[in-house]
């Protein structure tokens, strides 16, 4: 029997605490908050920023670009080791839960804040909702994989981006009634913001770089690298920079340079591998800047998880410099090809793409810009049914 939605949210049913901690969380949470506000009745929320990653200038810009309200609560945890950061988020989050008495805690993705807030909520008897559940790289050396697995085990409602995620969860003993396939909220953000994206020329000009460097007939490519396995070892970083320099002889490459990568290039003395006229180094880019660059690129080379999804949605060929991916649908259906750190594979697939033989792919099921609305409708029904039973 279909639950009858009340005209107003029950006064005895607390708000949904929506947790963000690092940059990818913002892109996922912005459309969710808009969908919650637009739902009838509106779902009351509190936006909590743990402060796990915090750069004041970039933080303010992200909130502005994504039309995201400023947080109701900021725990201001800051950086630290995984143990210290997780423990500090838990310590500061617990009194918030005690004070606000939420109907549930909604977490997204796989950062330390996701696991930390999940553990606090579960031990307090507060339901946990995990958006982007069931993704698996099966690489336990990745801290994100540990966060994903543990969060999914104790979450009460698990929203998945692709159907194969339910198979992963079922194998781990998670009951089917806890799982809902809804689609990808990252694509909600991408589609709602594409018309606001900055032009590549504007991105270069803002960094003091001549846009003429990327305005030739051959177009340009995008590079992002930040994972420790790629940038923390001098020999690996040198080999990757070397093959990227080779590719830049055919097409200029724009690097959105992560601070960790920049620091290691300097620390290892690898600046000589970079031809600044063909390998264009930009500072970290805002969301709308990165969206504009990706949408206009001929090729993307990355080790990011989110970019694998976004390039698939944009139809831009992507080479992922990792040995595994937690987003296999981008390979099976999308434009993504896994090349690892195999230099011959990177060369070969880049040449194929630049010759016009890259993967065209297709947009996966439910990556349609409506995922947040599906989450809002299901979550409201689920919470009100729980409330009525109690």
């Amino acid at each position: 029997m279909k639950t009858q939605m009340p005209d107003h949210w029950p006064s005895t049913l607390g708000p949904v605490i929506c947790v963000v901690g690092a940059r990818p969380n913002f892109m996922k949470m912005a459309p969710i908050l808009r969908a919650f506000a637009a739902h009838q009745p509106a779902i009351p929320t509190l936006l909590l920023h743990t402060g796990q990653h915090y750069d004041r200038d970039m933080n303010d810009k992200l909130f502005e670009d994504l039309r995201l309200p400023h947080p109701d609560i900021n725990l201001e945890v800051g950086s630290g080791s995984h143990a210290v950061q997780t423990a500090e988020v838990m310590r500061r989050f617990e009194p918030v839960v005690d004070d606000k008495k939420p109907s549930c805690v909604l977490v997204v993705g796989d950062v330390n804040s996701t696991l930390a807030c999940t553990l606090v909520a579960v031990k307090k008897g507060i339901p946990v909702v995990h958006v982007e559940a069931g993704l698996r790289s099966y690489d336990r050396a990745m801290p994100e994989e540990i966060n994903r697995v543990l969060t999914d085990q104790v979450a009460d409602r698990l929203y998945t981006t692709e159907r194969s995620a339910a198979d992963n969860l079922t194998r781990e003993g998670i009951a089917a009634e806890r799982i809902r396939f809804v689609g990808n909220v990252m694509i909600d953000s991408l589609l709602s913001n594409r018309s606001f994206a900055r032009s590549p020329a504007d991105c270069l000009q803002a960094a003091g770089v001549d846009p003429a460097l990327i305005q030739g007939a051959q177009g340009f490519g995008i590079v992002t690298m930040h994972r420790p396995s790629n940038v923390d070892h001098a020999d690996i970083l040198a080999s990757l920079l070397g093959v990227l320099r080779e590719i830049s002889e055919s097409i200029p490459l724009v690097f959105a340079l992560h601070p960790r990568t920049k620091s290691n290039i300097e620390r290892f003395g690898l600046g000589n591998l970079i031809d600044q006229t063909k390998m264009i180094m930009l500072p970290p880019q805002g969301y709308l800047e990165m969206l504009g660059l990706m949408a206009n690129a001929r090729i993307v080379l990355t080790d990011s998880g989110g970019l694998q999804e976004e390039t698939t949605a944009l139809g831009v060929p992507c080479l992922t410099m990792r040995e595994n991916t937690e987003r296999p649908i981008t390979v099976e259906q999308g434009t993504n090809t896994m090349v690892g750190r195999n230099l011959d594979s990177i060369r070969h697939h880049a040449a194929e793409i630049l010759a016009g033989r890259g993967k065209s792919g297709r947009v996966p099921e439910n990556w349609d810009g409506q995922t947040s609305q599906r989450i809002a409708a299901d979550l409201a029904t689920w919470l009100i049914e729980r409330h009525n039973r109690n």
Side-chain angles (χ1 to χ4, degrees), residues 217-221 250-251 294 296-300 316-317 353-356:
Q218 74 271 46
F220 65 93
S250 301
I251 187 171
M294 276 193 300
N296 290 281
R298 285 186 60 196
I299 182 173
V300 172
V316 176
I353 290 168
L354 297 182

Side-chain angles (χ1 to χ4, degrees), residues 109-123:
D110 51 25
V111 300
N112 288 339
S113 296
T114 295
L115 177 60
C117 292
T118 292
L119 291 173
V120 171
V122 166
K123 293 191 175 190

Side-chain angles (χ1 to χ4, degrees), residues 3 62 78 85 92 98 103 105 115 128 141 166 173 236 301 321 350:
T3 298
L62 265 175
Q85 197 172 65
R92 298 189 189 195
D98 290 340
S103 58
V105 171
L115 177 60
V128 171
I236 293 173
L301 300 106
M321 297 178 289

Side-chain angles (χ1 to χ4, degrees), residues 13-70:
L13 188 55
V16 176
I17 293 182
C18 298
V19 177
V20 294
R23 174 179 166 137
N25 297 164
F26 301 141
M27 283 80 97
K28 296 165 190 172
M29 195 62 76
I32 292 173
L33 292 176
R34 285 195 289 274
F36 285 6
H39 187 267
Q40 295 299 322
I43 303 172
T45 60
L46 286 173
L47 179 60
L48 180 139
H49 186 358
T50 66
Q52 176 182 328
H53 289 173
Y54 192 79
D55 175 303
R56 185 173 298 277
D57 292 338
M58 187 60 75
N59 202 70
D60 290 346
K61 181 169 172 41
L62 265 175
F63 277 84
E64 178 184 343
D65 286 352
L66 293 165
R67 292 161 284 138
L68 186 64
H70 281 269

Side-chain angles (χ1 to χ4, degrees), residues 145-193:
E145 182 78 354
I146 305 302
N147 293 341
R148 286 190 286 263
V149 170
L150 296 180
T151 298
D152 285 341
Q153 277 297 317
V154 295
D156 298 88
R157 204 67 163 177
L158 297 97
Y159 292 121
T160 63
T161 61
E162 56 187 81
R163 289 196 181 275
S164 66
D167 298 332
N168 296 336
L169 296 169
T170 300
R171 280 194 295 271
E172 293 168 10
I174 294 167
E177 59 264 23
R178 290 161 56 190
I179 305 166
R180 291 293 182 275
F181 168 56
V182 289
N184 195 331
V185 290
M186 282 282 278
I187 308 309
D188 289 15
S189 266
L190 184 149
L191 294 176
S192 67
N193 286 292

Side-chain angles (χ1 to χ4, degrees), residues 103-341:
S103 58
C104 69
V105 171
L106 185 147
V107 295
V108 295
D110 51 25
V111 300
N112 288 339
S113 296
T114 295
L115 177 60
C117 292
T118 292
L119 291 173
V120 171
V122 166
K123 293 191 175 190
K124 291 281 184 180
I126 305 297
V128 171
V129 176
H130 187 202
V131 175
E132 205 181 68
L135 297 181
R136 296 290 181 269
S137 67
Y138 294 99
D139 179 1
R140 292 293 178 93
M142 292 176 64
E144 297 91 343
E145 182 78 354
I146 305 302
N147 293 341
R148 286 190 286 263
V149 170
L150 296 180
T151 298
D152 285 341
Q153 277 297 317
V154 295
D156 298 88
R157 204 67 163 177
L158 297 97
Y159 292 121
T160 63
T161 61
E162 56 187 81
R163 289 196 181 275
S164 66
D167 298 332
N168 296 336
L169 296 169
T170 300
R171 280 194 295 271
E172 293 168 10
I174 294 167
E177 59 264 23
R178 290 161 56 190
I179 305 166
R180 291 293 182 275
F181 168 56
V182 289
N184 195 331
V185 290
M186 282 282 278
I187 308 309
D188 289 15
S189 266
L190 184 149
L191 294 176
S192 67
N193 286 292
R194 188 163 182 184
S195 62
F196 302 108
R198 310 277 191 255
S199 75
D202 287 347
C203 298
L204 266 63
Q205 283 179 327
V209 177
D210 184 358
L213 291 174
I214 62 167
Q215 290 174 336
Q218 74 271 46
F220 65 93
I222 300 294
V223 178
T224 74
M225 287 195 302
H226 72 282
R227 294 198 177 272
S229 57
N230 280 342
V231 305
D232 281 4
H233 307 281
D235 55 340
I236 293 173
L237 181 56
S239 66
L240 290 174
L241 288 174
V243 75
L244 291 169
R245 180 170 179 140
E246 291 177 36
I247 294 168
S248 76
E249 295 296 324
S250 301
I251 187 171
L253 297 177
V254 177
F255 284 63
L257 199 58
H258 191 280
R260 182 188 199 110
T261 310
K262 181 176 186 291
S263 172
N264 284 340
I265 289 172
E266 294 168 355
R267 181 161 67 99
F268 299 142
L270 301 177
N272 61 309
L273 295 175
I274 297 167
D275 179 347
Q276 297 278 358
T277 64
K278 297 172 182 175
M279 301 167 74
I280 301 154
M281 301 296 174
L282 299 185
Q285 297 294 289
Y287 179 70
L288 296 181
E289 285 78 9
M290 201 64 200
L291 180 52
L293 287 165
M294 276 193 300
N296 290 281
R298 285 186 60 196
I299 182 173
V300 172
L301 300 106
T302 188
D303 58 12
S304 160
L307 264 63
Q308 297 172 49
E309 297 176 323
E310 290 168 322
T311 50
T312 279
L314 291 166
V316 176
C318 176
L319 300 184
T320 297
M321 297 178 289
R322 284 169 47 185
E323 301 303 324
N324 49 58
T325 179
E326 65 280 8
R327 293 164 170 87
I329 199 167
T330 63
V331 177
E332 294 159 6
Q333 299 182 21
T335 58
N336 186 25
T337 301
M338 304 300 296
V339 292
R341 293 190 292 271

